[in-house]
Amino acid sequence: MKNLKIFFLSCLKPLRKSIRVNTLKYNTSEFKIFIKNNSFETENIPWCNTGFFINKNNKDSKAIGLTDIHALGGFYIQEASSMLPVEALLENNNLKNKIIGDLTASPGSKSTQIGSKMKGEGVLLTNELSSSRLKSLYSNLERCGVTNSLLTHYDAELLCNILPDTFDYLLLDAPCTGEGTVRKDYKVLENWSKTDAIRMSNLQKKLIVSAFKSLKQGGEMVYSTCTLGKEENSDVVNFLKSKFPNEVDIISLENLFPEAKRVLTKEGFLQVWPHVFDTEGFFVAKIKKKINYETSDKKKTILKNFSFINPNFSEIENIEKLLFDKWQFKKTDNFEWWVRKKEWWLFPKNSKFLFSKIKSDRTGVKIGELHKKGWRTSYEFCSSFGNKCEKNIIEIKKEEVLKVYKGSNLSFTENYLDSEYILIYKNLPVSIGKMKNNIWKNNLPRVLLRDLW
Ligand SMILES: C[S@@+](CC[C@H](N)C(=O)[O-])C[C@H]1O[C@@H](n2cnc3c(N)ncnc32)[C@H](O)[C@@H]1O
C-alpha cells in the first residue's frame, strides 16, 4: 500500500532529463567539460557508463537539444531507463563480425546505442515499420556516425520470417501501451484501456515468437517495453518459454548493475517502476536460444535486381588513392566497396547475404560520386568519417559552427586552395564544402539548418 502511494506520487513528478554520450564521436570527459561550461550538472546513470542525468544549474540555460555538440552527434537525449535494454543485450561482448538486429528501431535511441558499442564492426540491421518514423531513424544514425547499419522497412514479424537463424543479438523493443512514460505524458493513463493492453499483448506475442526464430543457435535477445502491466511484459516472455520450452533459456539480469536486485522479478526480468530509480518505467527480459540442432551450410548468395555492384580491383585502388590523397582517409577492413552508377558506397562487410533476402532502404555510408568533371565527396562521408581525416581539414570556432547551421558561407583570411574542405569543431565533423577564393561554400543539408547556441 505504501509502495502504491509512492508509485502514484512519482507519476506526478516531472521526469529527470538524461543523455547518453555518443562514443563514436565524443567522449565522456569532453562531455563533462561541455556540460560544466553550459551551466548543467551531471549525475552518473548506474547501469550505463556513458549515460548521465543532467540538471540545469540556472533557469537561463537553454535546451540541451539545441546545442552545437548535440547537432554534431556528440550525445543522444535518451531517457535513463531506456538505456537498460541495450546494456542488457550487449554486456561485455566482443561484437566483431556479429549480426545484430533492432527490430522496432525508430527514432533510434537504442540503435545508436548499439552502434556506439559496435564501433563500426559487424552488421547492424535497424528496422522500422512506420514510414513516417523512418526519416528520424535515418537522420539519428547519420548524426551519430553509425556507419555499419542496414536500414529496413518491414513488419518485424515478416522480416524475421524471411531471416530464420540469422542474428547473433536481437533487440525487440516492442510497441506497447507506454504506461511507463506517464511522467512525460499523463494522457497515457487517461487513454489506457484493458482492450488495448490485450491487443498489444497479442501483437507482442507474435513479434517475440518470430524474433526468437530469427536468432542463431546460441544467439541472445532482449525483449523490452516502456510499460508496466504484466500482460505486455512477463506474460509475453512466459508465452515464448511455454511455446519453446527446450530452446528458450531466460538469462537473469540480477547482476546487470549493483542495484538491479531492487527491480528484479522472480523470473530474472527487470521491472523498473518509476519511483525506484526516479526514472520512467521499463521492462527488460533477456533470452538465449539454446543450441539444439545443426544448421545447414550457407548457400552461395545470388543477388537479383540489386542495383549495386562490386567494383573491380583497379577501380577500388583508384578511389582509395583519391581518398587518401585528398583526405588521408583509409578504409578499414570492416567495410567493402559497392557502386551504383556514379555513387561509391561503403557497406558493412558480410552484409551481402542479407541483400539476397531483403530490401534495404539505406545501407552503410555513401562516400561520394565520381563524375566526368571529378570526384564529389558526400556530406555523409564528412559526418561519419570526417574526424578520421587528416588533410584538407579546417578547425573552426563555435561562432562559425553556429553560422554554418544558419546556412551562411564562411570567409577565411588564410589562403586555401580552391578545393573541398571539411570543417571540424572540437574533433566533431561539422560539414563539407568547396572553397573558392577563400570563401567556403556551405553545403550543409537544408534539413539540418537551425538556430543553435
Ligand atoms: C517502443 S518504439 C521503439 C523505440 C526505439 N527502439 C528507440 O529506442 O528509439 C516501437 C516502434 O515499433 C514500431 N512498430 C510497431 N509495430 C511494428 C512492427 N510490426 N514491425 C516493426 N516495427 C513496428 C513503431 O512504429 C515504433 O517506432
Side-chain angles (χ1 to χ4, degrees):
M1 197 59 191
K2 190 172 146 230
N3 269 353
L4 205 60
K5 194 170 166 195
I6 300 174
F7 163 67
F8 279 119
L9 285 175
S10 78
C11 291
L12 299 171
K13 263 175 67 181
L15 189 62
R16 290 198 277 176
K17 260 225 152 116
S18 51
I19 66 91
R20 180 177 47 73
V21 175
N22 173 29
T23 49
L24 285 175
K25 286 193 163 181
Y26 210 46
N27 65 47
T28 50
S29 16
E30 281 170 306
F31 175 74
K32 283 187 179 167
I33 298 170
F34 154 79
I35 212 84
K36 212 165 154 207
N37 291 342
N38 285 286
S39 306
F40 286 93
E41 271 183 355
T42 60
E43 190 188 316
N44 294 354
I45 295 177
W47 46 87
C48 177
N49 60 14
T50 51
F52 298 92
F53 291 110
I54 48 165
N55 302 313
K56 286 179 182 177
N57 258 345
N58 63 53
K59 59 179 184 318
D60 293 335
S61 26
K62 296 181 201 141
I64 196 158
L66 288 176
T67 55
D68 44 5
I69 302 296
H70 180 261
L72 300 178
F75 61 90
Y76 196 105
I77 299 174
Q78 184 175 0
E79 204 285 316
S81 61
S82 103
M83 297 173 196
L84 277 166
V86 174
E87 294 302 315
L89 182 66
L90 305 177
E91 291 172 274
N92 328 309
N93 278 308
N94 174 6
L95 304 177
K96 206 173 167 152
N97 299 325
K98 299 293 184 221
I99 313 279
I100 303 187
D102 183 358
L103 294 176
T104 49
S106 192
S109 58
K110 297 180 192 70
S111 276
T112 53
Q113 190 178 356
I114 296 172
S116 70
K117 286 189 185 282
M118 294 180 86
K119 304 188 186 91
E121 307 271 5
V123 182
L124 169 60
L125 185 147
T126 169
N127 179 65
E128 169 59 45
L129 175 64
S130 156
S131 318
S132 61
R133 287 168 67 88
L134 270 183
K135 239 189 199 156
S136 53
L137 176 59
Y138 170 66
S139 71
N140 280 323
L141 291 166
E142 183 187 56
R143 182 174 63 85
C144 292
V146 177
T147 51
N148 59 335
S149 65
L150 226 115
L151 187 74
T152 58
H153 177 32
Y154 283 84
D155 175 351
E157 189 185 2
L158 173 67
L159 177 74
C160 291
N161 291 341
I162 305 173
L163 298 174
D165 294 309
T166 300
F167 295 98
D168 296 285
Y169 298 98
L170 201 48
L171 176 64
L172 174 56
D173 186 37
C176 66
T177 53
E179 296 149 7
T181 62
V182 54
R183 292 176 67 178
K184 207 159 46 198
D185 182 6
Y186 202 77
K187 283 205 181 84
V188 296
L189 286 195
E190 281 174 8
N191 298 337
W192 187 91
S193 75
K194 184 83 184 170
T195 323
D196 270 355
I198 292 172
R199 186 177 54 80
M200 274 298 177
S201 177
N202 290 336
L203 170 66
Q204 291 152 349
K205 284 175 184 164
K206 275 199 222 164
L207 291 175
I208 201 171
V209 167
S210 54
F212 185 72
K213 288 183 185 164
S214 74
L215 261 189
K216 274 183 189 159
Q217 305 254 339
E220 294 177 354
M221 66 180 274
V222 158
Y223 172 79
S224 58
T225 71
C226 57
T227 205
L228 304 169
K230 76 179 195 27
E231 304 83 354
E232 297 181 66
N233 293 333
S234 51
D235 283 1
V236 176
V237 186
N238 292 335
F239 170 80
L240 180 75
K241 175 82 185 156
S242 68
K243 210 164 157 54
F244 304 102
N246 301 322
E247 291 174 64
V248 169
D249 225 352
I250 306 283
I251 302 180
S252 170
L253 294 171
E254 72 173 303
N255 294 321
L256 186 62
F257 61 101
E259 288 193 85
K261 288 193 183 71
R262 290 176 64 195
V263 290
L264 197 74
T265 69
K266 63 178 189 317
E267 299 99 329
F269 312 145
L270 301 182
Q271 177 65 76
V272 179
W273 294 89
H275 56 281
V276 182
F277 301 120
D278 192 3
T279 60
E280 281 191 339
F282 234 88
F283 174 84
V284 189
K286 186 166 181 178
I287 299 148
K288 188 177 175 96
K289 189 174 194 174
K290 289 186 202 167
I291 300 177
N292 274 330
Y293 51 90
E294 294 275 310
T295 37
S296 57
D297 280 350
K298 295 237 156 55
K299 293 194 194 93
K300 200 167 178 283
T301 303
I302 300 168
L303 297 179
K304 280 191 208 144
N305 304 326
F306 190 56
S307 49
F308 288 88
I309 53 164
N310 286 125
N312 67 34
F313 184 75
S314 78
E315 289 169 324
I316 292 178
E317 229 181 24
N318 287 343
I319 286 293
E320 292 191 348
K321 182 171 181 320
L322 183 153
L323 290 171
F324 190 76
D325 291 347
K326 202 173 176 72
W327 307 111
Q328 286 196 358
F329 170 77
K330 260 187 153 176
K331 171 187 99 58
T332 47
D333 267 357
N334 40 320
F335 295 102
E336 53 195 18
W337 286 109
W338 288 84
V339 170
R340 179 172 62 186
K341 294 186 181 152
K342 298 180 171 66
E343 301 168 3
W344 280 71
W345 292 70
L346 284 178
F347 286 3
K349 211 171 184 169
N350 303 330
S351 52
K352 184 173 173 178
F353 82 99
L354 288 165
F355 304 133
S356 63
K357 302 180 178 179
I358 54 167
K359 182 176 170 300
S360 164
D361 281 44
R362 187 107 195 170
T363 303
V365 182
K366 180 175 160 187
I367 301 301
E369 291 177 16
L370 191 58
H371 294 272
K372 279 204 184 104
K373 281 190 187 156
W375 170 261
R376 189 172 334 123
T377 315
S378 72
Y379 168 77
E380 267 182 80
F381 170 81
C382 160
S383 174
S384 305
F385 297 115
N387 53 357
K388 309 240 170 4
C389 297
E390 287 172 15
K391 199 173 160 190
N392 293 331
I393 293 292
I394 305 176
E395 290 274 348
I396 58 170
K397 299 194 185 73
K398 184 180 173 80
E399 305 81 76
E400 291 165 323
V401 177
L402 305 194
K403 275 191 188 168
V404 171
Y405 269 78
K406 278 191 164 180
S408 312
N409 295 337
L410 297 184
S411 65
F412 290 91
T413 45
E414 298 89 336
N415 272 329
Y416 287 110
L417 295 174
D418 286 353
S419 172
E420 284 179 322
Y421 282 86
I422 288 177
L423 306 184
I424 295 276
Y425 172 66
K426 294 192 186 281
N427 206 31
L428 293 164
V430 180
S431 190
I432 185 169
K434 271 202 170 150
M435 193 75 83
K436 184 116 211 248
N437 302 328
N438 298 324
I439 297 183
W440 179 86
K441 191 141 185 343
N442 194 348
N443 226 348
L444 189 74
R446 291 188 70 78
V447 289
L448 298 180
L449 297 182
R450 69 201 60 189
D451 272 334
L452 299 175
W453 63 277

